[in-house]
C-alpha cells in the first residue's frame, strides 16, 4: 500500500511564503458635490438585506433611506464591477455604521471571494473591492488507472479532495501530458501517476482553486515528468520535463478534450453511409453535438465554411507543408474566417453532423504537402531546453517540487509499477519515451 503525504504550507511555504493576501487595490470615486469628511472605520452592523423576489439593489437602497440622486450615484459605482440589475437572488447587501440615520459603509457580496465596499466620505462615496485572503497548501496524490482515464484508484490524502477536484486533477494531468500521451487512446490499466497540487484555501476551508505544480506519469515503458515554470517569458505558464525541455509540442494529439475514437486512418475502411470500402483519410472522434473543437497547432485559416461531404469545415495551414482539416462541424467559432490567425488550443468550432455523417462526430485530418497522412504518425517536435538564468531559476523550483513529489510512494504493485521503480533507480532512463 502506498503512503502519500500531505505537506502543509505547500511549495510556497518552502520559499518562506505563508499567506497570499489576494486583495485588489482598485478604488473608484463618484461625487455628488465637494469632497467632505474623512474615511471612517466600519461601525456596528445595522442590518443585512438579501436580494430576490423583486427586491433589487436599487429597491434595497431606497428602503434604507437613500434619495434618488444618491441611489443613482451608488449604482454607477457598482457598474464597473457588476450589473446592479443582474445580481442573483440571495445576494447579501450589508449596511454598517450609522451616521445621521444613513449607513456609512455598504458591502455587496459579489461571490465567495469578493465583496464590493462602498464608503461614505460626507457628500462623496468611493468603491473598492475587498478580496477574501487565502492560504496555500500542497496535496500530493498518487493513483493507478484501473481501466480508463476516469476509473482510477487514488491513495494517500485523496479523501481531502472533493469529487470535482478529483475530476479536475485527472483533466490537469491529461492537459499537461497532452503532447506525449493521448489519455483517451493510450491509457491502460496499471498506468500510475503522482502529482503535487498547490491549492488556495479560503478562511472557511473551501478551495478557491488549484494548479498542478509537478507530476509524474508512467505508461508501459515510458516514465514522464512535468514541472510547472511560470518565469519562462511574458505571460508564460508552461511545463517542462526534468531536463528542462518544454512538454508542449508543435501539435496536440487530439482536437477534443473528452473523446472516443470511432474510426482511425484506414486505406480500406467500410463507409457506413456509402456502404462500400473507401479510404478513410483521417480520424473520427465521437463526441456530443456542440463539443468544443480546438486547433491542434498554430497557423492560418485557409478554409472556413461548407466543404462538400465534410459539411461545415475548417482547414488550417501550419507551415512546413502541414495542414489540418476539421469536418462535420455544427458551428464555426466567431472570428474564424479565411486568412485569420489561430493559436494552438484555440476554440475554432463545435462538433456536429453536417455533410456526409451518420451522427455527431469530428472528422480530423492531417495533410502533408496536400496529401492525407496519419495524424498518429506526426512527429513530436518540442522546443529547445532552457538555458542561462531561466535554467537556473527552473532548476531551483524543480528541485523544490521534486522534494515534495518524492515524499509520495508509487501505489500498488505489479509489472508496470516495478518498471517505474527500476527507472527511478536509473536516472538516465527517465523521459526516454
Amino acid at each position: 500500500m502506498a503512503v502519500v503525504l500531505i505537506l502543509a504550507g505547500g511549495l510556497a511555504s518552502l520559499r518562506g511564503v505563508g499567506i497570499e493576501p489576494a486583495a485588489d487595490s482598485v478604488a473608484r470615486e463618484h461625487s455628488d458635490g465637494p469632497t467632505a469628511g474623512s474615511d471612517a472605520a466600519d461601525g456596528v452592523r445595522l442590518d443585512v438585506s438579501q436580494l430576490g423576489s423583486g427586491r433589487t439593489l436599487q429597491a434595497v437602497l431606497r428602503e434604507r433611506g437613500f434619495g434618488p440622486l444618491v441611489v443613482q450615484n451608488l449604482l454607477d459605482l457598482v457598474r464597473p464591477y457588476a450589473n446592479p440589475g443582474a445580481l442573483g437572488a440571495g445576494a447579501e447587501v450589508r449596511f454598517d455604521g450609522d451616521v445621521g440615520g444613513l449607513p456609512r459603509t455598504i458591502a455587496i457580496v459579489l461571490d465567495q471571494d469578493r465583496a464590493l465596499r462602498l464608503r461614505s466620505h460626507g457628500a462623496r462615496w468611493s468603491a473598492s473591492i475587498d478580496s477574501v485572503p487565502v492560504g496555500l497548501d500542497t496535496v500530493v496524490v498518487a493513483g493507478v488507472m484501473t481501466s480508463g482515464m476516469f476509473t482510477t484508484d487514488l491513495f494517500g490524502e485523496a479523501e481531502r479532495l472533493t469529487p470535482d477536484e478529483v475530476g479536475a486533477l485527472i483533466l490537469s494531468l491529461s492537459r499537461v501530458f497532452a503532447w506525449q500521451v493521448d489519455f483517451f487512446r493510450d491509457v491502460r490499466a496499471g498506468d500510475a501517476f503522482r502529482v503535487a497540487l498547490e491549492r488556495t484555501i479560503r478562511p472557511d476551508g473551501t478551495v478557491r482553486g488549484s494548479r498542478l505544480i509537478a507530476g509524474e506519469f508512467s505508461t508501459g515503458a515510458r516514465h514522464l515528468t512535468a514541472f510547472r515554470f511560470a518565469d519562462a517569458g511574458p505571460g508564460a505558464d508552461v511545463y517542462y520535463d526534468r531536463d528542462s525541455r518544454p512538454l508542449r509540442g508543435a501539435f496536440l494529439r487530439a482536437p477534443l478534450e473528452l473523446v472516443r475514437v470511432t474510426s482511425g486512418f484506414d486505406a480500406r475502411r467500410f463507409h457506413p453511409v456509402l456502404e462500400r470500402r473507401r479510404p478513410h483519410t483521417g480520424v473520427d472522434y465521437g463526441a456530443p453535438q456542440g463539443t468544443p473543437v480546438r486547433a491542434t497547432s498554430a497557423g492560418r485559416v485557409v478554409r472556413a465554411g461548407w466543404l462538400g461531404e465534410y459539411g461545415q469545415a475548417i482547414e488550417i495551414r501550419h507551415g512546413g507543408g502541414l495542414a489540418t482539416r476539421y469536418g462535420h462541424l455544427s458551428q464555426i467559432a466567431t472570428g474564424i474566417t479565411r486568412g485569420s490567425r489561430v493559436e494552438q488550443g484555440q476554440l475554432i468550432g463545435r462538433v456536429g453532423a453536417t455533410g456526409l455523417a451518420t451522427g455527431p462526430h469530428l472528422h480530423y485530418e492531417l495533410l502533408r504537402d496536400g496529401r492525407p497522412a496519419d495524424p498518429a504518425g506526426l512527429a513530436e517536435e518540442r522546443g529547445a531546453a532552457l538555458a542561462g538564468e531561466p535554467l537556473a531559476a527552473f532548476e531551483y523550483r524543480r528541485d523544490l517540487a521534486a522534494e515534495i513529489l518524492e515524499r509520495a510512494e508509487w501505489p500498488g504493485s505489479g509489472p508496470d509499477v516495478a518498471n517505474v521503480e527500476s527507472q527511478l533507480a536509473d536516472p538516465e532512463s527517465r523521459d526516454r519515451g
Side-chain angles (χ1 to χ4, degrees):
M1 175 63 68
V3 177
V4 184
L5 301 179
I6 296 297
L7 303 181
L11 181 59
S13 69
L14 294 178
R15 298 191 297 264
V17 179
I19 294 294
E20 173 186 316
D24 296 330
S25 57
V26 179
R28 297 177 182 266
E29 295 186 351
H30 194 106
S31 176
D32 283 338
T35 301
S38 61
D39 212 354
D42 294 350
V44 177
R45 187 174 70 189
L46 296 178
D47 63 51
V48 176
S49 298
Q50 286 192 332
L51 306 184
S53 301
R55 299 184 76 239
T56 63
L57 177 60
Q58 182 178 25
V60 168
L61 292 174
R62 287 180 175 175
E63 288 174 6
R64 291 294 298 131
F66 292 103
L69 180 58
V70 177
V71 168
Q72 187 57 52
N73 288 338
L74 292 174
L75 295 179
D76 288 343
L77 285 172
V78 172
R79 286 191 177 91
Y81 307 97
N83 182 350
L87 293 172
E92 288 187 353
V93 184
R94 301 170 182 171
F95 298 94
D96 298 320
D98 193 16
V99 178
L102 290 175
R104 176 175 293 174
T105 303
I106 305 169
I108 304 167
V109 180
L110 301 178
D111 52 44
Q112 282 184 291
D113 298 309
R114 300 176 306 142
L116 175 60
R117 192 171 297 277
L118 307 175
R119 290 183 173 89
S120 170
H121 310 265
R124 177 174 55 86
W125 286 80
S126 67
S128 62
I129 287 287
D130 287 349
S131 294
V132 174
V134 294
L136 295 176
D137 77 352
T138 302
V139 181
V140 182
V141 178
V144 175
M145 305 293 186
T146 55
S147 63
M149 179 175 172
F150 288 103
T151 52
T152 305
D153 286 339
L154 298 178
F155 301 90
E157 297 290 340
E159 67 274 4
R160 293 184 60 188
L161 303 179
T162 66
D164 286 345
E165 285 184 282
V166 171
L169 181 156
I170 300 300
L171 283 176
S172 294
L173 197 67
S174 70
R175 292 188 183 111
V176 168
F177 292 113
W179 292 271
Q180 287 73 41
V181 180
D182 185 337
F183 273 67
F184 298 92
R185 300 175 65 182
D186 302 339
V187 168
R188 58 193 179 87
D191 289 350
F193 66 87
R194 61 180 174 182
V195 297
L197 293 175
E198 187 173 71
R199 307 190 302 172
T200 50
I201 310 295
R202 302 184 184 95
D204 64 2
T206 59
V207 178
R208 173 188 282 181
S210 65
R211 62 189 180 189
L212 190 148
I213 58 173
E216 294 179 289
F217 183 76
S218 69
T219 176
R222 307 174 72 195
H223 183 74
L224 308 170
T225 58
F227 298 91
R228 179 181 175 274
F229 184 51
D231 295 344
D237 187 5
V238 295
Y239 292 85
Y240 293 78
D241 66 18
R242 188 174 292 273
D243 297 322
S244 82
R245 292 192 62 201
L247 296 185
R248 191 183 192 94
F251 283 79
L252 296 175
R253 285 182 171 266
L256 307 177
E257 284 195 343
L258 300 176
V259 297
R260 58 186 177 87
V261 176
T262 57
S263 184
F265 189 89
D266 187 349
R268 290 182 51 78
R269 176 228 191 189
F270 184 80
H271 198 284
V273 177
L274 302 178
E275 296 186 346
R276 59 183 173 85
R277 295 204 174 275
R278 180 187 186 189
H280 189 243
T281 56
V283 176
D284 285 350
Y285 293 97
Q289 181 93 2
T291 299
V293 177
R294 304 187 183 278
T296 53
S297 185
R300 193 166 299 280
V301 176
V302 293
R303 295 175 185 263
W306 195 266
L307 186 60
E309 296 179 356
Y310 294 95
Q312 292 278 4
I314 297 169
E315 188 173 319
I316 302 172
R317 183 177 297 154
H318 305 289
L322 298 177
T324 51
R325 183 177 293 165
Y326 311 78
H328 307 309
L329 302 174
S330 63
Q331 179 185 345
I332 294 175
T334 302
I336 303 301
T337 59
R338 182 175 180 179
S340 61
R341 174 78 182 176
V342 297
E343 300 301 326
Q344 186 180 62
Q346 180 177 338
L347 174 69
I348 58 173
R350 295 187 179 275
V351 168
T354 56
L356 194 61
T358 57
H361 72 283
L362 175 71
H363 177 83
Y364 172 64
E365 282 189 14
L366 171 69
L367 303 172
R368 191 186 298 273
D369 296 325
R371 297 182 178 181
D374 188 351
L378 189 63
E380 294 176 359
E381 300 178 6
R382 292 195 283 167
L386 295 171
E389 291 185 7
L391 174 60
F394 167 77
E395 289 177 337
Y396 171 71
R397 298 188 182 186
R398 176 202 63 195
D399 292 345
L400 290 175
E403 182 181 340
I404 297 175
L405 275 179
E406 289 171 3
R407 295 178 184 266
E409 296 179 4
W410 283 91
S413 60
D416 290 312
V417 176
N419 179 63
V420 172
E421 291 175 343
S422 68
Q423 292 188 54
L424 290 174
D426 176 14
E428 293 184 0
S429 69
R430 288 179 180 270
D431 303 313
R432 287 175 180 169

